[in-house]
Amino acid sequence: MVNFRPVLFVIGLVLSKLALFMYIPTLVAFFTGTPGFLEFGQAVIITHLAAFACLSAGRTKRFKLSVRDMFLITSLVWTIASAFAALPFVFINHISFTDAYFETMSGITTTGSTVLSGLDNMAPSILLWRSILQWLGGIGFIVMAVAVLPMLNVGGMKLFHTESSDWSDKSSPRAKTVAKNIMSVYVVLTGLCLVGFMLTGMNLFEAINHSFTTLSTGGYSTSDGSMNHFSNGAHWVATLFMFLGGLPFLLFVSAIRKRRLNELLEDAQVRGFTYLFLGTSAVISAWLVIRDGYTILDALRVSMFNIVSVVTTTGFGLEDFTAWGALPTTLFAFLMMAGACSGSTSGGIKIFRFQIAITLLNKQMMKLIHPSGVFVQRYNRRPVNDDIVRSIVAFGLMFFITIIAIAGCLSAMGLDPVTSISGAITAVANVGPGMGSVIGPTGNFAPLPDAAKWILSLGMLMGRLEILTLLVLFFPAFWRR
């Protein structure tokens, strides 16, 4: 049975930290004399009061979390935090709570889909709040992927179970140290990205916002033109740090601690991600040079930017790649679902699941050739047991079933097939823009019906939590003793 007191206490802690981050845009509005000071002040007070209520109701002498509690906390934290983080959008932008919740869920899950327009003239406080949400969502998912999901054995994540994934009393100090080290790497890379953007011509405010949303692979911008608004140099900086955001942050920590860059280069996930990125970039670049007459440098810049933006599920816009023809559109449809590395800020299926599927196929072929042979399936020099394979198969099945179900619901609301299918994919894979004239790279999600926005918000949450984490809550067995 779920123990609700610790669950409430953790939710209270998260809301109290969320309220503290609200002070940043509040102070920006105050010192710049721009709109948002009173509105953010209201949101801060409401969030603090809710946090105090949860902390008071959840306080207990024995604080122990079971696996069931962890499933419930993981889902409720993202759901409830999004509701309170949506308040500034309602108060300042005067949009409906549906639109505000969609924008916030998109931000905190680092999806990057938006219902807002007129960003170039929007209050600095709300632009900064959007970026902060994505930055917090990025580091939140890294810690969850490293410390929580492996313990819950969700979607094959147990393959990455280490001492840092164990939150028992014995390993808790080690886990907290790893979490702090990951946070340090995240902050340092954000700072380097900020400096890089400033060197390419962005002002301080633009550089801060885009460094937050680039490393978190979120994709929110301060301009309706997204990255088209900035210089070619900014495109290269964004490409580099989106790629770094798609790498496993635990390996960054390990490489720094051991002072061995090979920790990253020897990892099967990193190599697979790199090969996918470089291979598809070469194909699309050649296509643009031959078909559309791009120069080689421009073709490389535009193709590498868009590919890393989509495969890391960042969603920054740079030209409309759906207008490049059939081959690029087909490749991008696959890349939208692929994702980068596990333990990164990106969404999607993740590279390691494709790699394990290939090793499973190889094992099956060998069994057909040598029926009496014994073949051990390995990944990154570690054996892959049947439990991990079953978990990956279950995740893959539910990933596509979820996309089909959401696309079906959107179609039933009268949306065209391209919008319905790409909208479902972009939500569950946490990519950002979809395809077509409505939600494509040059559009946004504002025209969609409210019901569609709630369904897509659920899809974004399911994708961010690896689907099974949320799905298990709907099984009656979860709530029984």
Side-chain angles (χ1 to χ4, degrees), residues 199-247:
L199 292 175
T200 62
M202 286 189 186
N203 62 39
L204 180 60
F205 182 75
E206 291 168 340
I208 289 173
N209 280 273
H210 286 89
S211 63
F212 282 0
T213 60
T214 299
L215 195 70
S216 66
T217 62
Y220 276 159
S221 179
T222 57
S223 170
D224 285 334
S226 191
M227 292 300 290
N228 288 297
H229 187 73
F230 302 102
S231 67
N232 291 354
H235 302 162
W236 286 112
V237 171
T239 299
L240 171 62
F241 283 94
M242 282 189 285
F243 181 83
L244 294 177
L247 299 180

